[in-house]
């Protein structure tokens, strides 16, 4: 990591789905820059406590909170616990997400609802609680020039249609306009909201797409940069969006995708 260990000093961050994959990577990067971090998890308490232990071993501050981001009362309880312990929140990373894939005509309403509830409603509920606290507290100039920052984890599938994954693509398309609408509404209050749209990052959510040589070779055909991304690629982007280095950036999506959204099939076929 090449940035300063004090870049986010004094700031309090919440990372949803912080016990694995991209969320765990972001929690470690924010902590390495001096933020105190809440690691939210759904069910894997051991994994969440391991991330907390890793942060503490590096002399950072962290604790874990179980909550389902799709449930209003659990989200409100989580923010209550965070504010009791840390006093406030400066950075929300809306990272939790799931996939439940099926051909369109075979997709159950239950699988549609579960993905929308976690990936879209979960981001709405957490962003609303964070924004209430940002508005209550306002800017603390010695901490950050913003009253608060929200980073929404989107996907290249906010723009690339994805057959067999209509619930997921619809949820990420929804995240885009959720993010841009609240960015417009809250910018006058010095609250910044942006998205990160990862391409293919090797994590548990997409393991079958990269964990065999044949699958990895097929995936690489979609990536002009010719490598599969890793959680540090996303962690570094999150640090930038959370810090005052991006103070004039709001309502934008940062694609971290090795060029996946550049229509790679046209490189030799246009
Ligand atoms: P992951 O499965 O490791 O992480 C998802 C996390 O969300 C897990 O920790 C899971 O426990 C948590 N979660 C699921 N449902 C939850 C709920 N109801 N409440 C709270 N937490 C819940 O996979 P990942 O790749 O790290 O995914 C993180 C985010 O990145 C997701 O939003 C995903 O859509 C997005 N994303 C990932 C990729 C990729 O290539 N890995 C690409 C684009 C976008």
């Amino acid at each position: 990591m090449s940035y300063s260990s004090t870049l986010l000093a004094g700031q309090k961050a919440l990372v949803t789905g912080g016990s694995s994959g991209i969320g765990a990577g972001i929690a470690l990067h924010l902590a390495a820059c001096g933020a105190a971090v809440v690691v939210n998890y759904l069910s894997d308490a051991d994994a969440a406590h391991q991330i907390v232990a890793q942060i503490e071993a590096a002399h950072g501050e962290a604790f874990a909170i179980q909550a389902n981001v799709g449930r209003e009362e659990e989200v409100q309880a989580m923010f209550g616990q965070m504010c009791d312990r840390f006093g406030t929140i400066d950075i929300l990373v809306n990272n939790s997400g799931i996939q439940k894939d099926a051909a369109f005509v075979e997709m159950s309403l239950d699988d549609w609802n579960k993905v929308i509830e976690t990936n879209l409603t979960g981001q709405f509920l957490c962003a609303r609680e964070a924004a209430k606290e940002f508005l209550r507290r306002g800017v603390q100039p010695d901490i950050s020039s913003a009253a608060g920052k929200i980073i929404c984890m989107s996907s290249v599938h906010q723009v690339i249609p994805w057959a067999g994954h209509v619930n997921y693509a619809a949820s990420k398309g929804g995240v885009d306009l959720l993010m841009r609408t609240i960015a417009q509404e809250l910018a006058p209050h010095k609250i910044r909201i942006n998205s990160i749209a990862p391409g293919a990052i090797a994590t548990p959510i997409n393991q079958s797409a990269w964990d065999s040589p044949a699958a990895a070779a097929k995936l690489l055909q979609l990536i002009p940069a010719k490598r599969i991304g890793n959680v540090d690629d996303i962690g570094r982007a999150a640090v930038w969006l959370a810090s005052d280095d991006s103070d004039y950036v709001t309502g934008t999506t940062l694609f971290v995708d090795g060029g996946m959204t550049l229509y790679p099939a046209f490189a030799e076929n246009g």
Side-chain angles (χ1 to χ4, degrees), residues 51-226:
I51 301 300
V52 167
Q54 239 177 292
I55 291 171
E56 288 175 343
H59 308 292
E61 198 182 350
F63 76 107
I65 303 181
Q66 191 281 330
N68 180 336
V69 296
R71 301 280 157 80
E72 185 174 35
E73 62 289 352
E74 293 186 32
V75 169
Q76 287 172 338
M78 173 168 67
F79 276 81
Q81 281 180 61
M82 177 171 182
C83 287
D84 285 349
R85 177 100 172 241
F86 282 168
T88 190
I89 178 169
D90 303 281
I91 301 160
L92 166 67
V93 183
N94 254 339
N95 166 76
S96 293
I98 54 170
Q99 279 181 227
K100 291 198 172 288
D101 310 329
F104 178 53
V105 295
E106 284 158 21
M107 184 165 288
S108 66
L109 178 60
D110 192 42
D111 281 355
W112 170 268
N113 283 337
K114 277 194 179 121
V115 169
I116 298 294
E117 179 182 291
T118 301
N119 297 12
L120 184 56
T121 308
Q123 294 216 14
F124 157 71
L125 290 171
C126 292
R128 192 184 60 178
E129 294 313 304
K132 283 186 206 163
E133 172 60 13
F134 298 158
L135 291 169
R136 183 201 66 76
R137 194 205 56 234
V139 178
Q140 293 176 296
D142 51 328
I143 299 284
S144 171
S145 50
K149 284 90 46 162
I150 299 174
I151 299 168
C152 299
M153 199 53 61
S154 186
S155 163
V156 291
H157 297 295
Q158 77 171 38
V159 293
I160 303 178
W162 202 15
H165 306 75
V166 67
N167 47 3
Y168 185 85
S171 74
K172 297 301 187 180
V175 164
D176 180 36
L177 268 173
L178 166 71
M179 180 279 289
R180 288 194 282 147
T181 299
I182 60 177
Q184 183 195 61
E185 191 167 331
L186 298 174
H189 300 280
K190 293 196 174 295
I191 296 169
R192 297 193 297 108
I193 301 136
N194 294 285
S195 288
I196 296 174
I201 310 298
T203 73
I205 209 173
N206 58 0
Q207 191 160 356
S208 61
W210 51 263
D211 72 350
S212 73
K218 195 167 165 226
L219 184 57
L220 285 174
Q221 289 174 6
L222 299 174
I223 308 173
K226 295 296 168 211

